[in-house]
Amino acid sequence: MELLPGDRENLAIQTRGGPEKHEVTGWVLISPLSKEDAGEYECHASNAKGEATASAKIHVVETLHEVALTKGRQR
C-alpha cells in the first residue's frame, strides 16, 4: 500500500505562486527526518497544457562524516 501525504505525520506538501506569473512552486518537507524516509520520491503534475514529472533520492546519514565518505558516489 502506498501512503498519501496526509497519512504521515512528518510529511507536509507546500506550494506557493511563482517564480513567474501563472506558475506554482511546490516542495515536500519531511520533519523530523529518519532512516525510514530514505528512498526515491516522485512529483507528478498536470494541467490543461501538459504534464511534468521530477524525482529525487534521499539518503539519510547519521553524521556529517558519512556525507564526506559518500560525496560524489552515485546511490
Side-chain angles (χ1 to χ4, degrees), residues 1-24:
M1 175 175 68
E2 194 169 319
L3 296 177
L4 298 174
D7 294 336
R8 295 178 53 186
E9 290 183 10
N10 69 331
L11 191 135
I13 307 295
Q14 302 289 318
T15 60
R16 69 169 181 81
E20 300 294 329
K21 187 176 181 179
H22 306 297
E23 287 185 347
V24 175

Side-chain angles (χ1 to χ4, degrees), residues 33-59:
L33 185 66
S34 69
K35 287 277 190 184
E36 290 77 31
D37 297 310
E40 187 167 0
Y41 290 77
E42 292 185 352
C43 176
H44 301 271
S46 64
N47 64 19
K49 296 293 183 181
E51 299 179 2
T53 302
S55 64
K57 291 182 183 177
I58 294 178
H59 176 74

Side-chain angles (χ1 to χ4, degrees), residues 53-71:
T53 302
S55 64
K57 291 182 183 177
I58 294 178
H59 176 74
V60 180
V61 297
E62 296 290 332
T63 66
L64 290 178
H65 178 70
E66 289 181 64
V67 174
L69 294 176
T70 60
K71 188 175 182 179

